[in-house]
Amino acid sequence: MTHKTAVRPYTQGWRVGGGQVLAVVRPGNLIEMWSVLKTCVHHDVIVIMQAANTGLTGGSTPDDHGYDRDIVLINVMRLDDIQIIEDGRQVLCLPGSTLYQLEKKLKPLGRDPHSVIGSSCIGASVIGGVCNNSGGTLIQRGPAYTELSLYAEVNEKGELALVNNLGIDLGGEPEEILKRLETGDFNVQKTDKKASDSEYCQHVRDIYADSPARYNADDRRLYEASGSAGKIAVFAVRLDSFEKQGATKMFYIGAKDTNVLAKIRRDILGGFKHLPVSGEYMHAEAYDIAEKYGRDIFWIIYHFGTEYLPILFKSKSRVDSVFAKFGIKNLSDHVMQFISRFLPNHLPERLQGFRKKYDHYLMINMAGDATQNEMRAYLSTLENAGWFECSDDEAKRAGLHRFAAAGAGIRYQNIHADKIDDMIALDIALKRNDQNWFEDLPQDIEDAIDCRLYYGHFFCHVFHQDYLIKKEYDVEAIKNRMLEYHDTRGAEYPAEHNVGQIYTAKPQLKDFYKKLDPTNSFNPGIGQTSKLKNWKT
């Protein structure tokens, strides 16, 4: 595809990013993908690999300036096969396979993928999660990680090579390897290499550690495809699956004092026999914005699931692209928000009651009778807070409301474009021993903020913080000051998103990128690095 309207859904980021490309290519099998890569390398054009284009930092879309070569964007969503191996204990995922598809495929086996909620709500790809060190909500599983992958690299001589580190004998020539992988013509070999972060469960429990539990530039989890951020072209990954933990019960906690939640986190991580499945945080202002500006997405997911959301987002992008030609921006958001006014409120009465009493909410999911009894016994002694056990429907609604927050912030920005200059979307990992987790910004920065959304994975100390900045303020200067503030706290960023076009890659991450891609042929400029061939500045 080359026409401007046809390529826009691929070249325009969901939240940020957007630029020109020579073409968008959607290969239909792995050999076609290899052929496209060979052609691009032969003609010395930049390659940007893309899956669902649901990223929040512009990590798989072009920027709008500064490149020294043409760009071809390869979208891999047609390559969505998933193969069950090792009696279901592991899976092989091709580039376009999604978390939703993987969850659905493993369900009859009584097993789960690395992440089952969160990013799966917007159709994110499995390999995209691995390449970005995405962590998700599940406390016991850590960042998406594997040491078993099949990928293409461009070496120092500018030559394309296929590297098979799947632990599976697929032959010698690239076409043979790819054909046998796609047809399932192979035997799986035993290996000592990891297909998940099996150490994270104990790592996150170390509440006295003076470092975050997980973050994008953590060199303990940078390995080939894992954390690669598009600096190689990944054809497949081999990942662990996980035995289902049984029915869960959500405990909904409200508090006015942030110290109460800090105590809960330390008590549970440091003293509980059983870790929660997940523990999600939401602030009152995020609750309110999601209630009003995320209502339509909530109802779509609630009634139809997440399967159709990627199609919805692609259609939305196409509609906005057509009307943008006539000077009408974000038409789809205005239409959907108008429809939302006539939709019923989606939040249960008990959640609404807690919104009136408290400013901070914690949603903790526990699996199994023993873990739930341990939580009940603990909460019965809790002071200066309220809590209740959610019914299944209350838990579903509370969880979906929490995950509607990210999209609600974007909707708010688009609807109020007359007063909002831009959004600053931060993804922060606090130190495991940090008890003062709720930020205290200088007054002049507070004055620049129209509204904010705080939400995150509380036990991992990973927070997503979105700020809608008023028109008359310098957004870039404010963002830099916010990051400087987090530097003084010993925080790391991004925590689980790609560095994309928002963050500066830390030195260890930049060195990792250079090792993977010495000629800077794949996704140049990522992490605000050089966009020039051979990393010239």
Side-chain angles (χ1 to χ4, degrees):
M1 296 174 286
T2 57
H3 191 275
K4 186 176 180 180
T5 301
V7 303
R8 188 181 186 277
Y10 306 93
T11 60
Q12 186 70 37
W14 187 50
R15 180 177 277 178
V16 298
Q20 302 300 312
V21 298
L22 189 66
V24 172
V25 185
R26 302 184 68 227
N29 57 60
L30 295 182
I31 291 178
E32 285 186 0
M33 177 174 159
W34 174 252
S35 178
V36 172
L37 287 170
K38 286 197 298 183
T39 302
C40 290
V41 171
H42 176 73
H43 289 279
D44 195 26
V45 300
I46 288 168
V47 173
I48 295 179
M49 303 299 300
Q50 182 189 87
N53 194 18
T54 57
L56 302 178
T57 62
S60 58
T61 50
D63 196 7
D64 58 357
H65 67 280
Y67 299 101
D68 60 348
R69 294 151 289 170
D70 287 327
I71 300 171
V72 169
L73 190 153
I74 302 177
N75 182 279
V76 296
M77 292 305 289
R78 293 175 67 197
L79 311 176
D80 61 355
D81 190 36
I82 297 170
Q83 298 182 38
I84 304 295
I85 60 175
E86 298 288 84
D87 297 321
R89 295 187 304 276
Q90 290 188 333
V91 292
L92 278 174
C93 296
L94 298 196
S97 57
T98 66
L99 289 169
Y100 174 82
Q101 291 171 316
L102 182 54
E103 183 180 352
K104 188 175 180 181
K105 194 147 191 172
L106 287 171
K107 188 174 182 179
L109 304 177
R111 302 189 72 83
D112 280 329
H114 167 267
S115 182
V116 296
I117 51 178
S119 296
S120 58
C121 287
I122 53 174
S125 71
V126 176
I127 288 182
V130 171
C131 293
N132 296 336
N133 289 130
S134 297
T137 64
L138 301 181
I139 299 167
Q140 302 172 32
R141 298 184 191 171
Y145 180 75
T146 186
E147 297 169 359
L148 300 163
S149 62
L150 173 69
Y151 61 91
E153 64 178 3
V154 176
N155 63 27
E156 292 180 351
K157 298 179 181 180
E159 300 166 338
L160 185 69
L162 188 66
V163 180
N164 179 14
N165 285 337
L166 281 173
I168 299 173
D169 184 5
L170 295 165
E173 293 301 315
E175 286 79 5
E176 178 191 7
I177 290 171
L178 298 173
K179 183 176 181 180
R180 288 181 60 184
L181 175 65
E182 208 156 27
T183 58
D185 179 20
F186 56 79
N187 293 313
V188 179
Q189 299 164 286
K190 297 294 182 183
T191 176
D192 293 330
K193 289 187 175 181
K194 293 181 180 295
S196 63
D197 187 351
S198 56
E199 300 166 351
Y200 186 78
C201 198
Q202 292 305 314
H203 184 71
V204 74
R205 278 188 179 269
D206 188 356
I207 56 176
Y208 300 105
D210 196 39
S211 62
R214 55 179 169 92
Y215 57 99
N216 192 273
D218 186 356
D219 55 14
R220 63 186 285 274
R221 288 297 175 255
L222 296 176
Y223 190 96
E224 296 179 347
S226 297
S228 59
K231 299 304 289 182
I232 52 178
V234 183
F235 284 83
V237 294
R238 179 173 167 183
L239 295 167
D240 288 333
S241 68
F242 302 85
E243 187 176 354
K244 282 186 176 294
Q245 294 181 287
T248 61
K249 174 69 70 174
M250 178 183 284
F251 295 84
Y252 196 91
I253 302 167
K256 293 182 179 179
D257 185 353
T258 58
N259 291 320
V260 173
L261 298 192
K263 182 179 185 302
I264 292 172
R265 174 182 171 272
R266 289 173 66 84
D267 287 347
I268 290 175
L269 290 179
F272 268 40
K273 182 179 180 181
H274 308 282
L275 279 181
V277 174
S278 64
E280 293 298 294
Y281 167 76
M282 195 174 197
H283 182 257
E285 195 166 5
Y287 182 105
D288 293 343
I289 296 293
E291 179 182 6
K292 183 174 182 179
Y293 295 93
R295 187 175 298 187
D296 54 324
I297 294 298
F298 173 95
W299 283 118
I300 289 170
I301 298 173
Y302 184 85
H303 287 297
F304 303 108
T306 62
E307 184 176 6
Y308 300 103
L309 282 187
I311 299 172
L312 174 66
F313 287 130
K314 283 287 188 296
S315 301
K316 177 182 182 301
S317 181
R318 289 191 176 98
V319 168
D320 288 341
S321 178
V322 170
F323 281 91
K325 297 177 181 178
F326 305 100
I328 303 173
K329 295 184 177 180
N330 305 312
L331 176 67
S332 61
D333 281 301
H334 286 275
V335 171
M336 293 174 74
Q337 190 58 34
F338 177 78
I339 294 172
S340 292
R341 294 167 54 188
F342 302 97
L343 297 174
N345 191 294
H346 55 286
L347 295 171
E349 184 177 337
R350 288 203 286 183
L351 268 68
Q352 295 285 49
F354 267 45
R355 170 62 190 93
K356 295 174 183 176
K357 293 176 63 177
Y358 304 109
D359 299 319
H360 307 277
Y361 319 107
L362 193 56
M363 293 153 271
I364 303 178
N365 278 300
M366 305 294 289
D369 292 340
T371 64
Q372 292 165 15
N373 288 335
E374 187 175 26
M375 179 61 75
R376 289 187 190 100
Y378 173 75
L379 292 178
S380 66
T381 66
L382 188 64
E383 297 179 352
N384 302 317
W387 66 280
F388 62 88
E389 294 184 38
C390 294
S391 67
D392 290 345
D393 188 61
E394 284 175 328
K396 181 179 180 180
R397 289 172 184 257
L400 289 180
H401 184 61
R402 150 67 181 90
F403 291 109
I410 298 170
R411 172 71 59 77
Y412 183 95
Q413 176 186 359
N414 291 339
I415 294 296
H416 298 286
D418 58 328
K419 66 174 182 175
I420 301 299
D421 185 290
D422 204 352
M423 174 190 288
I424 297 175
L426 301 185
D427 174 32
I428 303 297
L430 300 184
K431 296 184 295 184
R432 283 168 283 175
N433 65 357
D434 194 345
Q435 297 189 63
N436 299 316
W437 58 274
F438 197 77
E439 69 180 10
D440 183 18
L441 295 172
Q443 188 58 49
D444 61 323
I445 293 182
E446 293 280 0
D447 293 340
I449 299 171
D450 179 80
C451 67
R452 76 200 72 201
L453 294 88
Y454 294 153
Y455 48 95
H457 316 309
F458 191 69
F459 289 89
C460 298
H461 253 193
V462 168
F463 294 93
H464 306 300
Q465 301 175 177
D466 300 338
Y467 309 86
L468 284 303
I469 306 300
K470 298 173 186 175
K471 280 283 188 186
E472 63 269 24
Y473 291 89
D474 185 336
V475 175
E476 191 64 24
I478 292 171
K479 185 190 83 169
N480 290 336
R481 286 190 59 199
M482 286 180 171
L483 294 179
E484 289 170 1
Y485 164 74
H486 288 297
D487 287 339
T488 67
R489 306 173 73 190
E492 291 282 354
Y493 49 85
E496 60 177 4
H497 295 158
N498 195 306
V499 287
Q501 297 168 25
I502 292 179
Y503 300 97
T504 300
K506 299 288 176 67
Q508 67 268 32
L509 193 58
K510 185 176 179 180
D511 289 345
F512 178 62
Y513 293 161
K514 284 187 172 182
K515 182 179 178 181
L516 291 176
D517 184 19
T519 64
N520 208 16
S521 298
F522 288 103
N523 210 8
I526 193 77
Q528 300 179 5
T529 58
S530 171
K531 294 178 180 175
L532 307 181
K533 188 173 181 179
N534 297 321
W535 297 90
K536 294 178 182 177
T537 56

